[in-house]
Amino acid sequence: MNLYDSLPDAAATVFGAEAVGSLAYDVLTVDVPVGSWISSLEIARDKLGCTYFDWLSAVDEPGTGFQVCAHVVSLENHRVRRLLLRTTVPHAAASLPSAVAVYAGAQWHERETFEMFGVIFTDHPHLVPLLLPENFEGHPLRKDFVLAARVAKAWPGAKEPGEAHDPDAPKRRQMLPPGVPDPNDWGPLKGQLPPAPTRPARTPRAAGGAGAPARTPREGAPVRRTRSVAEGSATQAPPAEGDAPVRPVRRSRSVADGSASQAGPPGPATGAPDAPAAPPPAGRGSDAPWHDPKPAFEEPAPAATPAPPEPPPAQTPTDGPAPDKSPDETPDETPDKKPDTAPGKAPAKKPDPAPGSGSTPDPTPDNGGDA
């Protein structure tokens, strides 16, 4: 079994009694004291096989110090095994022995950590700035580093649009991002700037205090509105005297009675005695169409069937003689004889005998004396 596989449980056995191991995000981490820094690096290289040096840097932890980290890797048997060694130095005495004698590649990493955080690596062969110019002041990656560029030029959120025309006017409180000090306390204009103007004290009325005096309206200002919402706006013309405002009758009927705007049933005729008011209909009002559904297309009404004609009343026999048939109703016994009438002229009709005369007409037609 490899010694690396026993970590982090055996961290105190491998790196010393004060070492603390942990495993998070697939990275094995071991925290060691400052006095065991160089010996811990040698153990990682010689016993754990971490011969590859990856990087070295630091983290500024406010209230704790600078946490220096070294990330080394083991590549034995074509297997990648990572180890992160950490130690903490205080802010007041940020000093740590150099790891160049154990890992030669740590030289440039320690130079960068020196200029960015201010950690001094003792026994370093050439501890000079690596990235920053020679006359640069401060350590940029410290949490207390001042952003000098924001002091020389105000950041965009320092002023609102339109505030630059009157520099003496009171402004809103300026918002400063983290790391930006007051230009009058730090920078090339330290102690040369006037104090920032303060806002005038708020009056009791503006502050909403109780018992604040009423504000005096300025000359020519419109009268302050003292009307309620029901009375309308102060710009509306008041009604003329004697003309009471006409208001609609307040609705006092139920849903079943329908809307107040619907026409009621016709009243009694003029002059008729006052009849008692009819009770409201039991059905629902007509303002709800779903109460009286109708088809979309009405079917045509069927045609009225005519009533059958009534039969004539039966004739009752009388005591008098039955009337004889008229001569024109007698059928012609000689169909080959032509009538004397001219074509297109109707034959003259003989008058009917008077009823009750008792004379019987001769049924034989008159042939001009020929028997």
Side-chain angles (χ1 to χ4, degrees):
M1 180 179 178
N2 193 343
L3 190 60
Y4 182 92
D5 297 331
S6 63
L7 299 175
D9 298 335
T13 305
V14 176
F15 293 97
E18 298 182 1
V20 179
S22 62
L23 181 64
Y25 302 102
D26 296 334
V27 176
L28 177 63
T29 304
V30 178
D31 293 293
V32 297
V34 176
S36 304
W37 176 247
I38 299 298
S39 60
S40 298
L41 292 175
E42 292 176 349
I43 293 173
R45 183 193 62 180
D46 300 337
K47 296 183 178 182
L48 300 180
C50 298
T51 58
Y52 179 80
F53 177 83
D54 191 10
W55 52 265
L56 183 146
S57 186
V59 179
D60 187 1
E61 298 289 350
T64 302
F66 298 103
Q67 195 175 60
V68 182
C69 310
H71 186 258
V72 293
V73 183
S74 172
L75 302 175
E76 292 181 357
N77 301 326
H78 303 283
R79 183 180 177 185
V80 178
R81 298 178 178 180
R82 306 174 185 275
L83 174 64
L84 183 65
L85 288 174
R86 299 186 304 188
T87 187
T88 303
V89 295
H91 289 97
S95 178
L96 190 68
S98 176
V100 175
V102 182
Y103 292 101
Q107 182 177 357
W108 282 14
H109 294 259
E110 290 180 350
R111 291 175 58 185
E112 180 185 9
T113 305
F114 163 69
E115 65 176 350
M116 294 295 175
F117 294 94
V119 179
I120 300 175
F121 293 91
T122 59
D123 302 331
H124 191 278
H126 189 59
L127 194 62
V128 294
L130 178 66
L131 303 175
L132 300 178
E134 296 180 0
N135 55 355
F136 188 87
E137 298 179 3
H139 306 283
L141 295 186
R142 282 193 176 188
K143 297 293 179 65
D144 58 353
F145 181 73
V146 177
L147 301 178
R150 293 304 186 192
V151 178
K153 181 179 180 181
W155 72 300
K159 293 184 178 181
E160 291 289 342
E163 289 184 351
H165 66 283
D166 189 2
D168 298 332
K171 311 175 184 178
R172 65 176 177 87
R173 182 177 179 181
Q174 292 187 357
M175 300 174 60
L176 298 178
V180 177
D182 188 356
N184 201 25
D185 296 338
W186 188 92
L189 301 179
K190 179 178 180 179
Q192 303 178 12
L193 300 176
T198 58
R199 288 181 175 271
R202 300 182 65 186
T203 60
R205 178 176 177 83
R215 181 182 300 177
T216 304
R218 65 180 183 275
E219 184 178 357
V223 181
R224 184 176 180 83
R225 173 173 177 170
T226 58
R227 307 165 69 108
S228 63
V229 177
E231 297 174 354
S233 174
T235 58
Q236 296 177 356
E241 296 182 2
D243 297 341
V246 179
R247 293 181 178 231
V249 180
R250 184 177 180 84
R251 175 170 180 171
S252 60
R253 46 175 58 194
S254 62
V255 178
D257 298 337
S259 175
S261 60
Q262 295 179 351
T270 306
D274 296 339
R284 300 180 181 270
S286 60
D287 56 344
W290 52 85
H291 295 154
D292 187 15
K294 294 182 180 180
F297 302 96
E298 296 186 1
E299 299 179 358
T305 305
E310 298 181 1
Q315 296 182 358
T316 57
T318 58
D319 296 341
D324 297 333
K325 293 183 180 181
S326 57
D328 54 352
E329 295 178 0
T330 304
D332 192 1
E333 297 179 0
T334 58
D336 55 346
K337 190 177 181 180
K338 297 181 180 180
D340 297 339
T341 57
K345 185 176 181 181
K349 186 178 181 182
K350 295 182 180 181
D352 295 335
S357 60
S359 59
T360 302
D362 188 6
T364 304
D366 188 7
N367 296 327
D370 296 334

